[in-house]
Structures are given as structure tokens and as C-alpha cells.
Amino acid sequence: YTGSYAVTQADLDAGDAIDNVATADSNETPTETASTEVPVDQQPDIAIDKSAAVPGGTADVVGEVISYSIDVTNPGNISLTGVTVVDPFITDLAFAGGDADSDSELDVTETWNYTGSYAVTQADLDAGVNIDNTATADSNETDTVADTATIPVAQDADIAIIKAAALADGGTAADAVGDIVNYTIEVTNDGNVSLTGVTVADTFITDLAFAGGDADSDSELDVNETWTYTGSYAVTQADLDAGDAI
């Protein structure tokens, strides 16, 4: 006699040897039995694949959102229980779907998807290094696995200066020795990274002084921050004799 049996997922999940008993009988004899055993080879495995996307492909604006997608698959031969996915970098990590039979087990060939996001900070741009973060996946039957996603940071440092002058007496032209010209210089950070070691020099103005604008008193010219400097100049006879604009 010959026959066959198709191994089931339940057999693999149970992990026990597949035993079966055959009986033989006749009109003249008592029943005889024989059994055979086939061992089960469990091969638990888990895999993780993490991806990241940001508009434009690089992080270059504070507040822009990096979207993360994490796929966890079961390339092994047994169902996985107690599956966990952890990513401390993503505070809104959530299960998005994939448990087709809603049994809370990561079945063989099943893929579970998780999503989350992260808002780029000024500290990220100032650091100027890739935004890397790692997610891990684990189950009761496997070791922990990990995958990292990377978003490059694009720094764009820029500084702008505007200088304005006005006569203290409200006039439109210097016409007397000792007329005072008041100067205002504004320095602005038009880039996307904080600027350090900012200096403003004007050899023409001997009393040039910082007037304000460092809102957080960190001695850094922050993005979109404007620092103001003021100074003055007293018109000389030489200026009037030269006749050139001051």
C-alpha cells in the first residue's frame, strides 16, 4: 500500500514530529499496528525593510516632514507570535496593515507595514549630517533584526546686509561741518543654518555698535533673524570741499 500526506502550516508551527499509525487486520487475526515518524524542521526567521522619503530628496527646511515606511516579513517556515517593531526616532509609529487573517501572528510570506513621520529641526540642519535612524523588529521565535533609513541634509548658509544713512537734522544733503549722519546696518540670515562668529565692520563709522536682534541671546544669527547695528559720522570740511556723496 502507498499513500501521501501534505505537510500543513499547523504541523510546522507545532514543531512536533509528524507521527501516524497504520493498522492491519483480518478475519483471522487480531489488529496489528505500526507507526512511523517524520521530524519537523522549524526555521523561524524575520526580516525588516525601512525606507524614508522627504520632498525634494533632501532635508533642507525646518519643519518639513520625513515619511517613514517599515515592512516586516516572515521569510521562515513557521508563524511568528509576539511581533514588535520599535523605532525611538519616530514618535507616531503605527501599524498600517498586513495581518490578512487578523490572527495577530506574522504568517509565512505575510508582510506587516508600519508608518511614521519626523519633522526636521533646526538642530538637524545645523549639524549638517545625514538624518539616520534605525528600526528593530522582534518576535517570540526569532532574534532581533534591524534596518536603517537615511535622509541627506542640505545646508545652505547665506548672510545678507543692508545699510541705510540719514541726516540727524532731517535734511537731504550734508551742507555744514559737523552735520551728523546716522547709519543703520541690518544683517539677516537668509539661509537654512544658524550662523556663528558673525562680525560687522565699517571703518568709516568709529562708534559702530550692536543695537539688538539676537532674540534668544545665543550669539548665533538664527535663520530669518535680523541683527541691527548703528553708528554715526560727523561731516568734515574735507567732505564738503570734496563734494562727493558720503
Side-chain angles (χ1 to χ4, degrees):
Y1 297 81
T2 61
S4 63
Y5 173 77
V7 176
T8 68
Q9 189 61 58
D11 294 325
L12 297 177
D13 289 348
D16 300 322
I18 301 173
D19 296 328
N20 71 296
V21 178
T23 62
D25 199 2
S26 73
N27 293 332
E28 294 77 22
T29 63
T31 301
E32 295 289 340
T33 63
S35 64
T36 186
E37 180 177 280
V38 175
V40 169
D41 180 18
Q42 288 187 317
Q43 299 173 2
D45 197 10
I46 192 170
I48 185 172
D49 181 48
K50 181 175 183 179
S51 61
V54 66
T58 60
D60 56 8
V61 178
V62 171
E64 69 180 336
V65 175
I66 301 173
S67 299
Y68 291 96
S69 179
I70 301 171
D71 287 335
V72 179
T73 56
N74 181 351
N77 71 350
I78 65 171
S79 302
L80 302 179
T81 63
V83 174
T84 58
V85 175
V86 177
D87 191 326
F89 192 76
I90 305 174
T91 58
D92 62 347
L93 184 67
F95 176 71
D99 186 8
D101 52 4
S102 302
D103 64 352
S104 299
E105 295 184 0
L106 181 58
D107 301 325
V108 175
T109 72
E110 204 169 57
T111 298
W112 289 6
N113 178 251
Y114 299 76
T115 58
S117 61
Y118 174 77
V120 176
T121 68
Q122 188 63 58
D124 294 323
L125 299 180
D126 289 349
V129 296
N130 291 338
I131 300 175
D132 296 330
N133 70 298
T134 300
T136 59
D138 200 3
S139 76
N140 292 333
E141 293 79 19
T142 63
D143 294 329
T144 302
V145 293
D147 192 34
T148 299
T150 298
I151 290 293
V153 170
Q155 288 185 317
D156 180 22
D158 194 18
I159 193 169
I161 185 170
I162 297 175
K163 183 176 181 178
L167 286 164
D169 62 7
T172 58
D175 56 9
V177 172
D179 278 351
I180 301 298
V181 182
N182 290 323
Y183 291 95
T184 300
I185 300 173
E186 292 182 342
V187 179
T188 304
N189 182 347
D190 290 337
N192 70 352
V193 299
S194 302
L195 303 178
T196 63
V198 174
T199 59
V200 175
D202 191 324
T203 56
F204 192 77
I205 305 173
T206 58
D207 62 347
L208 183 66
F210 176 73
D214 187 8
D216 52 4
S217 302
D218 64 352
S219 299
E220 295 183 1
L221 182 58
D222 301 325
V223 176
N224 296 322
E225 199 170 61
T226 297
W227 290 3
T228 301
Y229 299 77
T230 58
S232 60
Y233 175 77
V235 176
T236 67
Q237 187 62 55
D239 295 324
L240 297 177
D241 290 347
D244 300 322
I246 302 174

